[in-house]
Amino acid sequence: MTGKLLLIVLDGVPYANWRRYFGALEGWVSSGEAQVWRMRASLPSMSGPCYASIHSGTPPQVHGVLSNGHIHRVQMPDIFSQTRLAGGTTGAVTHSWWSAFFNRAPFDMVRDIEYDEPESTSINHGRFHTMTAYNHDNQATPCDADLFATLTSLCKRFDLTYGILHTCTLDSMGHRFGHDCIQMDNACALMDAMLANFLPAWRAMGYEVIVTADHGQSLRGHHGGTGSDQQDFALYYFGDATGPSRDTLLDQLQLAPTILSRLNAPIAETMKAAPFLG
Ligand SMILES: [Zn+2]
């Protein structure tokens, strides 16, 4: 394999918030180090279905995760399995659903909270969190700087070919506060600053980096349905490849084959969408 890539998924960040609050990311767009597009989530624009679409490159109607109540092992090839087929090493610092969807289900909190399995055909190095008892008032999310540091540690220790980081902090903030409020302004700015503290190191280690969301949110903090507010988010790409014109609306199903093409890993037959980077 020749490519290395990190996928950073900030859960539930609508397109407008990316473009107005993530000043560090936008600064790298201005300076030419990053490219940005708008991407649209599959339907329903709900977290579980979107995670499965992001990683399998298939819509919920095919992969079968049709709501957050359908947490099971997805029986489709995905970015982890295809990267492993090509001999790459995979890592994940995410919510436990990613382990359940793409490695094994149900998630056993003690067995699966972290694992290092070099021979695995899916996730070699996993570090997970469950957000057990999450509710409107108690987000139950880890600190995002800790998650970024954990991913960086895995990259250094295991030379990951592909690593994914996913965090629900901003999705939970949106459900709690909505988006026209100082709490969200500050939360986005803090996330941007934490990310900016790690991103140059990832680039210096030779990684291409994609920063994006799984879906948007309405101003009231809802998602699951249709419309650009619930479905759309930004996608930032740091790397040497070129993409379509900036006004192109990308499809979430393009993400898996695009990442595999950057890694020089085989694109599964089930991934029908075309890569957008070349
Ligand atoms: Zn989500």
Side-chain angles (χ1 to χ4, degrees):
M1 303 190 76
T2 54
K4 300 201 300 182
L5 188 143
L6 299 178
L7 173 65
I8 310 299
V9 180
L10 307 186
D11 204 297
V13 180
Y15 182 81
N17 284 16
W18 287 106
R19 305 307 308 272
R20 63 184 172 170
Y21 292 133
F22 284 73
L25 292 179
E26 288 293 320
W28 279 314
V29 173
S30 297
S31 68
E33 303 213 10
Q35 302 171 69
V36 62
W37 293 274
R38 179 189 287 259
M39 177 173 272
R40 182 158 290 176
S42 53
L43 290 170
S45 57
M46 197 174 284
S47 292
C50 288
Y51 305 167
S53 291
I54 288 170
H55 237 251
S56 72
T58 64
Q61 297 72 28
V62 173
H63 61 60
V65 181
L66 291 161
S67 82
N68 290 342
H70 292 70
I71 310 305
H72 55 73
R73 180 67 164 89
V74 172
Q75 300 300 325
M76 313 280 300
D78 78 299
I79 299 174
F80 294 128
S81 66
Q82 297 301 109
T83 303
R84 292 295 295 139
L85 275 182
T89 302
T90 62
V93 180
T94 66
H95 190 283
S96 56
W97 285 0
W98 295 85
S99 182
F101 285 147
F102 303 110
N103 197 0
R104 51 182 174 249
F107 187 85
D108 181 302
M109 199 181 284
V110 174
R111 179 192 63 187
D112 296 330
I113 200 73
E114 68 169 64
Y115 47 75
D116 295 293
E117 299 175 351
E119 305 305 318
S120 172
T121 55
S122 58
I123 303 170
N124 297 124
H125 303 284
R127 304 290 185 270
F128 302 100
H129 54 274
T130 66
M131 292 174 65
T132 299
Y134 156 81
N135 62 40
H136 178 271
D137 296 320
N138 186 340
Q139 295 200 178
T141 47
C143 170
D144 296 299
D146 295 353
L147 299 180
F148 294 137
T150 301
L151 178 67
T152 310
S153 170
L154 291 183
C155 291
K156 288 185 180 228
R157 293 166 62 201
F158 301 112
D159 191 24
L160 302 183
T161 309
Y162 169 72
I164 178 176
L165 182 146
H166 158 258
T167 167
C168 281
T169 299
L170 295 180
D171 179 75
S172 298
M173 291 290 292
H175 289 307
R176 185 177 183 184
F177 293 107
H179 294 271
D180 186 17
C181 60
I182 192 67
Q183 290 89 348
M184 184 57 75
D185 300 354
N186 289 335
C188 289
L190 181 62
M191 181 71 84
D192 182 60
M194 286 179 173
L195 185 56
N197 201 31
F198 288 92
L199 216 149
W202 300 337
R203 295 288 289 137
M205 282 190 274
Y207 287 98
E208 297 183 25
V209 180
I210 290 175
V211 183
T212 192
D214 55 341
H215 50 73
Q217 278 197 357
S218 69
L219 282 177
R220 288 201 296 260
H222 184 74
H223 61 91
T226 64
S228 58
D229 55 348
Q230 295 182 61
Q231 282 181 271
D232 291 4
F233 46 86
L235 181 141
Y236 297 84
Y237 166 70
F238 295 76
D240 294 332
T242 54
S245 64
R246 292 295 172 90
D247 58 356
T248 302
L249 176 62
L250 301 177
D251 181 340
Q252 188 167 53
L253 302 183
Q254 294 178 270
L255 198 45
T258 297
I259 289 171
L260 291 172
S261 73
R262 298 308 302 157
L263 297 174
N264 292 309
I267 295 171
E269 298 251 326
T270 44
M271 299 174 182
K272 308 289 189 196
F276 61 84
L277 294 174

